[in-house]
Amino acid sequence: MNQKLNVELIITIPESQVIIEKLEFEALKKADLLGVYWSMVDLEKRIGRKKDWIKQNILYNPRFKSKLDCSTGGFVFYPKKKGEPWSMHALLMANFLDENFNDIFRS
């Protein structure tokens, strides 16, 4: 014979935090990146790597460049001359990094 125990549990949520549904949380994360463009410095902060590593392993990597370059329909502006800034659509780049994490970071 199975026994059942009915328990009432009270959990106190600190005033500095809230509980929201996962879908709402995902929407808020995306809204934070809508209409936002990253520079190379922003990308370095996001992934914790220096620009030389990012260029070699992501931006100029033949597997990714055609997907990324805005001149081929992507969402990254590749500078045409020295000193010109990089620019990338934050939301699309964040999604790309998430979707390609294993390909980017595998040794």
Side-chain angles (χ1 to χ4, degrees):
M1 175 186 228
N2 290 333
Q3 295 183 5
K4 294 183 180 179
L5 180 61
N6 188 9
V7 177
E8 182 179 322
L9 176 65
I10 297 174
I11 299 174
T12 303
I13 308 293
E15 286 189 30
S16 62
Q17 299 185 8
V18 296
I19 295 177
I20 60 173
E21 291 185 17
K22 186 175 183 176
L23 287 175
E24 185 178 353
F25 174 70
E26 294 299 325
L28 288 170
K29 283 192 335 187
K30 285 185 179 180
D32 187 42
L33 297 177
L34 287 176
V36 174
Y37 295 89
W38 288 343
S39 66
M40 179 61 76
V41 172
D42 296 321
L43 186 58
E44 285 178 316
K45 288 177 188 174
R46 286 285 178 160
I47 64 175
R49 300 290 177 123
K50 295 292 183 189
K51 69 179 175 183
D52 290 337
W53 187 95
I54 293 169
K55 288 177 184 179
Q56 179 180 347
N57 292 281
I58 302 173
L59 298 171
Y60 287 115
N61 184 321
R63 289 191 321 244
F64 306 130
K65 188 171 188 295
S66 63
K67 293 179 196 175
L68 298 173
D69 194 335
C70 65
S71 67
T72 57
F75 46 87
V76 175
F77 171 76
Y78 284 71
K80 305 287 187 254
K81 53 189 169 193
K82 191 173 178 93
E84 198 171 23
W86 287 84
S87 185
M88 50 210 84
H89 189 284
L91 178 58
L92 297 176
M93 189 61 167
N95 287 340
F96 172 84
L97 293 170
D98 286 344
E99 292 166 5
N100 294 280
F101 180 86
N102 289 331
D103 287 338
I104 294 169
F105 291 98
R106 71 174 165 214
S107 44

